[in-house]
Amino acid sequence: MNYVIRSIRADEWPAVKALRLLALRDPIAHLAFLETYEEAQAKLDSFWQERAAGASEGSSTVRQFVVEGPDSEWAGTLTVLMEEPGTKDWAGLPVERRQGHVVGVYVRPEHRGCGLTEVLFDEAVQWAWAAGAERVRLMVHEDNGRAQRFYRRAGFRPSGVTVAFFRDAAQQELEFVLERD
């Protein structure tokens, strides 16, 4: 593979924005992301600049990783948020131990199925372990079977924790976890 997995740099905010907008056009974006294309597109450049700076190389609390193709085009991304014990997560649930929380997973359709997602996850999980995470977790919509199958192949398992889907409380998001060996 002629791809590079790396952390973003703060000055790459235009590419961060462009890839996020592309991800929000994916047919399952309504299940996978907490915002719509229209909401993200309306955000000021200062938002994207701050987002990229906060998740760039050198950050110890948030890290966005990208897969850069041979033509320098970004083929995919994911972000890891470090969550600290004694705090509450995005759903208001208590965080009981230091953990990485994977969010914003996206690989362009033309790059799917060739192992990029696996190496992207490997890099992100290794970063979380190096940052002191005791486990890595993510949330996945109950109807997002494609993502659930991948997460299981990557070693993540359902924890039994569920939260109501923010757009429809009758639907559930499932927590999947990868425990540190």
Side-chain angles (χ1 to χ4, degrees), residues 13-80:
W13 68 267
V16 168
K17 177 182 178 180
L19 191 58
R20 178 66 171 193
L21 292 175
L22 183 64
L24 291 170
R25 292 282 195 185
D26 191 273
I28 63 159
H30 67 286
L31 298 179
F33 300 108
L34 297 179
E35 67 183 339
T36 65
Y37 173 87
E38 292 75 21
E39 291 166 341
Q41 202 249 353
K43 292 180 176 167
L44 301 174
D45 286 349
S46 58
F47 169 85
W48 298 102
Q49 291 164 353
E50 289 173 22
R51 184 176 188 155
S56 64
E57 57 190 1
S59 172
S60 61
T61 57
V62 181
R63 187 68 61 94
Q64 183 175 355
F65 295 90
V66 292
V67 178
E68 189 174 70
D71 57 0
S72 297
E73 178 182 73
W74 289 2
T77 186
L78 69 71
T79 300
V80 181

Side-chain angles (χ1 to χ4, degrees), residues 59-61 82 84 98 125-134 180:
S59 172
S60 61
T61 57
M82 291 305 295
E84 299 297 333
R98 186 167 172 80
V125 168
Q126 290 308 311
W127 177 81
W129 296 154
E134 296 176 36
R180 188 167 192 162

Side-chain angles (χ1 to χ4, degrees), residues 23-178:
L24 291 170
R25 292 282 195 185
D26 191 273
I28 63 159
H30 67 286
L31 298 179
F33 300 108
L34 297 179
E35 67 183 339
T36 65
Y37 173 87
E38 292 75 21
E39 291 166 341
Q41 202 249 353
K43 292 180 176 167
L44 301 174
D45 286 349
S46 58
F47 169 85
W48 298 102
Q49 291 164 353
E50 289 173 22
R51 184 176 188 155
S56 64
E57 57 190 1
S59 172
S60 61
T61 57
V62 181
R63 187 68 61 94
Q64 183 175 355
F65 295 90
V66 292
V67 178
E68 189 174 70
D71 57 0
S72 297
E73 178 182 73
W74 289 2
T77 186
L78 69 71
T79 300
V80 181
L81 313 169
M82 291 305 295
E83 298 175 327
E84 299 297 333
T87 63
K88 293 192 185 273
D89 70 6
W90 64 275
L93 300 174
V95 175
E96 296 175 357
R97 52 192 170 152
R98 186 167 172 80
Q99 61 191 14
H101 186 160
V102 175
V103 299
V105 178
Y106 177 73
V107 174
R108 291 173 184 258
E110 63 271 22
H111 295 281
R112 293 177 187 160
C114 65
L116 289 180
T117 310
E118 287 85 349
V119 294
L120 184 59
F121 261 77
D122 286 347
E123 184 74 17
V125 168
Q126 290 308 311
W127 177 81
W129 296 154
E134 296 176 36
R135 73 179 192 157
V136 177
R137 73 177 188 142
L138 53 85
M139 302 301 287
V140 60
H141 191 278
E142 64 187 343
D143 293 337
N144 193 344
R146 181 181 80 193
Q148 288 183 46
R149 285 186 297 279
F150 169 77
Y151 299 144
R152 287 176 191 275
R153 282 194 318 272
F156 287 77
R157 297 290 175 254
S159 70
V161 172
T162 63
V163 295
F165 184 53
F166 79 104
R167 288 195 179 111
D168 181 351
Q171 299 176 21
Q172 296 292 307
E173 287 198 276
L174 315 172
E175 180 186 63
F176 275 52
V177 300
L178 178 65

